[in-house]
Amino acid sequence: MNDTIRSIATIMSDLDGILIYPHISMDGDALGSSAALCLALRSLGKKAYIMVNEPVPKNLDFLENGCTTTDDSVLEDVQLSLMLDCNGLNRIPGREAAWERGRLKGCIDHHATTSKDIRFDFQRIEPKSAATAEIIYRLIKDLGAEITLDIANCIFTAITTDTGNFQHVNTTSRSHEIVGHLYKVEGFNSKIISAMIYDRRSKGALKLEGYVLSKLHFYADGRLAVGQVSQAMLDEYGCTIDETDGIIQRIMSIDGVEGGCLLKEKGDTTRISLRGRSYINMSNVAAKFGGGGHVLASGCTINADLDTAEKTILPVLISELKH
């Protein structure tokens, strides 16, 4: 059962010592929502940090604002462990022990797929919200915190990335209304933020993208496109794994492709980004491998090398295409 945003604000108003947990492979919404709330809580005099165990993506580094930490002992007393933009332990691998330190457990998310491995003391799940940041914006308001320029930048980043620059079907009038309010914040400039997100790609990243696109595998009469990014490729082009995030969107720009899949080697595992154009349910595919997300945009991790991971997920993708 969903708690109201006002009741969550009331609970959090009485707490100090809050660790926020975005999902693995942070995107604009996960980090943007987390940073916005962290900054708001700090402005109210509370101790708050974002608990991570991976580098902040280069194109989102302006959101960090000194909020992230990898030190699970940064707070002596963790009164609240709060998941944002995710709702299961499988989405915060490597941080489970830190999560358990929280005396209270909370969750704020907009994904329809939910995990049952945690009993939350409170939660707010809004599948109809385009981004978790739409919930966080309202929560910040109910907390009585000011929407500063840094918070506005975080909220805008979260909404624009999760709506695909307001082009995805999840975009609603509320998405535009919230962003409309951000323009009233002194100094806010959406063009500058968009350039920070999308226009800072390295030459190596562009060359890597071209190589990956040239090696795509097509299945199901061209309706499914699958690409691979190996560690060797990253080394050759001098890239980090977070610089590959835009490749999946380029795959989806191919005429006739209904489903796109990008496999990225990460140590002994393969991280997988999944995208759909209109009807394929990628959240169903991701859920079969312990992942999650939206109907048309999801992700998961398979403990196998690239080729094995592709062979493993391929039948599930093709089956979902037939539905």
Side-chain angles (χ1 to χ4, degrees):
M1 182 175 179
N2 264 346
D3 295 275
T4 65
I5 294 175
R6 185 171 295 277
S7 68
I8 293 174
T10 299
I11 293 171
M12 294 182 69
S13 293
D14 293 331
L15 299 176
D16 193 11
I18 299 168
L19 285 184
I20 300 169
Y21 291 77
H23 59 70
I24 188 174
S25 301
M26 293 175 287
D27 58 12
D29 191 21
L31 182 57
S33 294
S34 297
L37 181 58
C38 185
L39 290 170
L41 291 169
R42 288 181 175 184
S43 75
L44 297 173
K46 299 182 181 298
K47 296 186 288 291
Y49 290 90
I50 303 171
M51 190 72 222
V52 300
N53 62 349
E54 58 187 349
V56 171
K58 289 182 179 180
N59 68 321
L60 301 175
D61 56 8
F62 65 96
L63 299 179
E64 199 272 337
N65 289 296
C67 290
T68 64
T69 182
T70 58
D71 180 8
D72 60 8
S73 63
V74 66
L75 296 176
E76 291 185 10
D77 180 19
V78 183
Q79 297 185 9
L80 172 64
S81 289
L82 179 65
M83 283 193 187
L84 286 191
D85 205 37
C86 59
N87 55 64
L89 290 175
N90 63 311
R91 302 296 285 152
I92 59 166
R95 291 170 284 169
E96 298 92 340
W99 165 264
E100 293 299 337
R101 291 187 60 214
R103 284 195 271 157
L104 291 179
K105 309 291 195 301
C107 173
I108 300 174
D109 192 13
H110 73 132
H111 297 101
T113 54
T114 57
S115 174
K116 296 181 180 179
D117 60 0
I118 302 176
R119 180 191 173 279
F120 294 109
D121 295 287
F122 66 80
Q123 66 177 13
R124 181 74 185 175
I125 309 293
E126 291 187 9
K128 293 185 178 180
S129 287
T132 296
E134 293 187 7
I135 312 171
I136 296 303
Y137 174 84
R138 289 141 59 209
L139 176 59
I140 290 172
K141 288 284 192 177
D142 278 1
L143 283 168
E146 178 188 355
I147 302 295
T148 63
L149 178 58
D150 286 334
I151 291 175
N153 291 340
C154 291
I155 296 292
F156 177 79
T157 298
I159 295 177
T160 190
T161 53
D162 253 28
T163 59
N165 292 320
F166 307 95
Q167 297 178 61
H168 294 342
V169 294
N170 63 335
T171 310
T172 67
S173 59
R174 187 170 68 187
S175 308
H176 290 287
E177 288 167 3
I178 291 175
V179 170
H181 288 298
L182 301 181
Y183 279 92
K184 299 176 183 178
V185 176
E186 185 177 356
F188 177 73
N189 188 318
S190 62
K191 181 175 176 56
I192 291 176
I193 300 305
S194 294
M196 294 285 283
I197 300 168
Y198 302 112
D199 298 338
R200 294 192 293 158
R201 302 187 65 193
S202 67
K203 294 177 181 178
L206 289 172
K207 291 179 179 178
L208 172 62
E209 178 181 284
Y211 180 79
V212 173
L213 293 175
S214 72
K215 300 293 183 179
L216 290 178
H217 301 156
F218 291 91
Y219 304 95
D221 298 321
R223 290 181 297 147
L224 175 64
V226 180
Q228 294 188 3
V229 178
S230 67
Q231 184 60 51
M233 293 180 198
L234 294 174
D235 293 341
E236 179 178 352
Y237 292 101
C239 299
T240 57
I241 195 168
D242 60 86
E243 291 183 275
T244 66
D245 290 345
I247 297 177
I248 190 67
Q249 296 305 128
R250 292 299 303 273
I251 291 174
M252 293 308 301
S253 70
I254 301 171
D255 188 30
V257 169
E258 168 61 28
C261 173
L262 183 65
L263 303 103
K264 298 168 283 188
E265 183 179 22
K266 180 69 173 178
D268 295 329
T269 68
T270 297
R271 293 185 180 180
I272 302 175
S273 296
L274 301 165
R275 296 292 184 274
R277 185 183 299 276
S278 59
Y279 68 85
I280 186 172
N281 191 327
M282 288 303 193
S283 65
N284 285 346
V285 176
K288 292 184 183 297
F289 301 97
H294 309 286
V295 171
L296 298 180
S298 291
C300 60
T301 298
I302 293 179
N303 295 320
D305 59 61
L306 289 170
D307 290 335
T308 302
E310 181 169 340
K311 291 176 182 177
T312 301
I313 200 169
L314 188 57
V316 182
L317 285 166
I318 292 176
S319 176
E320 197 64 41
L321 269 174
K322 297 177 180 178
H323 290 172

